[in-house]
Amino acid sequence: MRKYSAIILISILFILLLSGCKKEVENRISIAEQYGLAYAPLQIMKAKGFLEKNLPGIEVNWEQLGNTAAIREAMLAGKLDIGFMAIPPFLIAWDKGMKWKIISGLSISPLGLVTYRDDIKSIRDFSPEDRIALPQPGSIQHILLSMACEREFSNPRKLDDLLVTMAHPDGMNALLSRKEITAHFTSPPYIFKELKDGKMHQILSGKEAMGKEFTFIVGAATEKFYDNNPRVYKAFVSSLREAIDFINDHPEEAAAILATEYNLPEEEVLKYITWPGMKYTPVIKGLDEFAHFLKKNNYISKIYASREEVIWEDVKDEK
Amino acid sequence: MLKMKNNYFQRLFWILVIAGIWKAISLSGLFSPLIFPSPETVLKSFYLSLLNGELIRQTIISLSLILRGLIISLIIALILSLLAISSKTFAGMVETLLAIAHPLPGIALMPLVLIWFGAGTKAIIFIIVHSVLWPLVLNLLTGFRAIPEIYRLVGENYGLNSLKIMWYIMTPASLPYFLAGIKIGWARAWRALISAEMLFGAAGGIGGLGWYIFKKRVFFDIPGVFAGLIVIVIIGVLVEDLLFNKVEDITVKRWGMQI
């Protein structure tokens, strides 16, 4: 009998443990970003304390995670309220039933496929032995490459067998060592560093792949956060605008702040954030194009009927 | 025979209990179905992946990698441990190697392995060998050293040379340790393999089970992640229950060395 009561006791403890939900705190926000120049407005927002200024007493928790999948999982688990990532990973999770919407665009950025091999001039020149490094299947880099493949070969999955999954820093090191991989699809600052090598050249840009300019990084908020914390949400949106405006209006000052954050020389950061094609703007571009491409190639199963299904209200948005 | 059936019955019973609890939790609505999919959706995803052949293909890739890794480790471990028991100098070397390498997790070596071998089959096999080799050597050495001196003396009395003593006396006498080493090695290799595959990604479309799980993760297909885990569990149970137990039954148990 003692044995059974022990079993029951353990089960009860287990259930209590599982149901030990944390209490909602009105004045707290957890934000996730990734590493890279595309996230610069968030660094500015953090360093200048815009959110704290707009909403005194707020407790802000910044997380820097290594990849989009980790951000989505943490948001799903309720550990994060707002996450920043590219449009395709956002849409993939939205399609699977994740309750979240886009708050704002963050940046438009040069992305590109870089190689050291002189004989490779376009994506047509890859042989089956070549390897292309990019962050992960379903990442914006992968989707852009698929778009280019669809245009060139009428087969979006043509180069899928050449892909190697590597985080940006690893991919850059692998490319610079000229051993394992032939080409690397990446974003700033890695793409700038690679092209600085001199013997590297870009064979495909994100804009060429997509056929037009598109937003690289967007911010998304969970439905739970949006519904429960309207005040914090509003403060976040205005702080984000403020940070974006700050970079655009005072690039030198912004570069000085970012230089310490990224551990790079100030002039270099300034060059990077004012690079042609590097834009900080809340406008969302290219959402529909991504959605249609993903749907057409079965990466997602449905398309939103109206953009309100994927974007919170009060967002500047451009078709 | 009856006992064995009883074992299987027990296994089945507990699996059903676990599935029941799982279903109950998913029905309770405590968690979003995205975090905790119901057992049916997982089974459906498992079934669909089986049907389109992807799960089987990736499993075969993983198993072939692990097999290659195990065979290489086995050969190196035998050589190292035989050297170590036959000479004091080598014993010192092997023990030093053990002290250095045994506590190093394979995953910690990953950055170096990437530079040395690149992200490919070779790198994964290296990680597997590293994970299996050291526990195997350790167990083999313990096994050899646990053999009473008198066994060897009896062999010498029969006029066996040292090779024959190794083959006819030392090897069977150390078999229980050897099998224990293989078991630990297998478990460690399996873990190392899955983690390495998840980190390295697929080269040339070949990725293995770890890659399968990773891909399901990046496409936010949580039932698919569970399906990959189920395969890992099934293989683990099959190898443990069928392979290792069978080998033990026909060797060490039959010889009365182990109960």
Side-chain angles (χ1 to χ4, degrees), chain B residues 39-49:
Chain B
E40 313 90 84
T41 51
V42 171
L43 282 180
K44 194 179 145 214
S45 164
F46 179 67
Y47 176 71
L48 288 177
S49 285

Side-chain angles (χ1 to χ4, degrees), chain A residues 5-19:
Chain A
S5 45
I7 291 174
I8 292 166
L9 192 70
I10 289 169
S11 321
I12 292 173
L13 281 175
F14 186 64
I15 291 164
L16 282 178
L17 200 77
L18 283 176
S19 57

Side-chain angles (χ1 to χ4, degrees), chain A residues 209-227:
Chain A
M210 174 85 158
K212 61 171 273 196
E213 197 169 54
F214 58 89
T215 298
F216 174 39
I217 300 297
V218 295
T222 57
E223 194 178 273
K224 202 173 103 196
F225 175 73
Y226 183 83
D227 290 345

Side-chain angles (χ1 to χ4, degrees), chain A residues 102-157:
Chain A
I102 295 175
I103 312 166
S104 164
L106 186 68
S107 51
I108 292 170
S109 159
L111 304 178
L113 185 58
V114 178
T115 180
Y116 65 88
R117 286 251 303 268
D118 291 332
D119 55 323
I120 296 181
K121 304 247 180 334
S122 85
I123 56 169
R124 287 192 167 273
D125 300 331
F126 286 113
S127 76
E129 281 73 44
D130 289 322
R131 293 286 173 262
I132 302 168
L134 46 76
Q136 62 201 24
S139 64
I140 186 166
Q141 288 84 2
H142 176 218
I143 298 304
L144 287 169
L145 186 64
S146 306
M147 284 174 160
C149 286
E150 188 187 44
R151 191 168 308 129
E152 284 282 314
F153 311 108
S154 313
N155 174 11
R157 293 176 203 257

Side-chain angles (χ1 to χ4, degrees), chain A residues 48-194:
Chain A
K48 299 286 282 181
F50 286 146
L51 197 50
E52 289 84 349
K53 184 193 77 187
N54 290 335
L55 200 64
I58 180 114
E59 192 185 314
V60 190
N61 171 30
W62 293 93
E63 302 260 355
Q64 196 173 60
L65 294 178
N67 66 53
T68 306
I71 293 183
R72 284 190 310 214
E73 286 150 11
M75 288 177 81
L76 187 57
K79 296 277 176 228
L80 293 171
D81 305 310
I82 291 175
F84 283 83
M85 69 207 66
I87 292 173
F90 165 81
L91 285 173
I92 286 169
W94 167 81
D95 175 58
K96 289 282 190 299
M98 180 137 170
K99 298 206 172 353
W100 64 352
K101 292 184 197 179
I102 295 175
I103 312 166
S104 164
L106 186 68
S107 51
I108 292 170
S109 159
L111 304 178
L113 185 58
V114 178
T115 180
Y116 65 88
R117 286 251 303 268
D118 291 332
D119 55 323
I120 296 181
K121 304 247 180 334
S122 85
I123 56 169
R124 287 192 167 273
D125 300 331
F126 286 113
S127 76
E129 281 73 44
D130 289 322
R131 293 286 173 262
I132 302 168
L134 46 76
Q136 62 201 24
S139 64
I140 186 166
Q141 288 84 2
H142 176 218
I143 298 304
L144 287 169
L145 186 64
S146 306
M147 284 174 160
C149 286
E150 188 187 44
R151 191 168 308 129
E152 284 282 314
F153 311 108
S154 313
N155 174 11
R157 293 176 203 257
K158 172 92 175 174
L159 295 177
D160 275 10
D161 279 353
L162 308 188
L163 300 185
V164 184
T165 299
M166 284 186 181
H168 291 299
D170 300 335
M172 181 179 73
N173 291 335
L175 183 73
L176 292 176
S177 74
R178 293 169 164 76
K179 254 175 72 185
E180 187 65 23
I181 63 162
T182 325
H184 185 207
F185 209 131
T186 188
S187 54
Y190 308 99
I191 187 168
F192 298 152
K193 286 187 189 164
E194 288 172 3

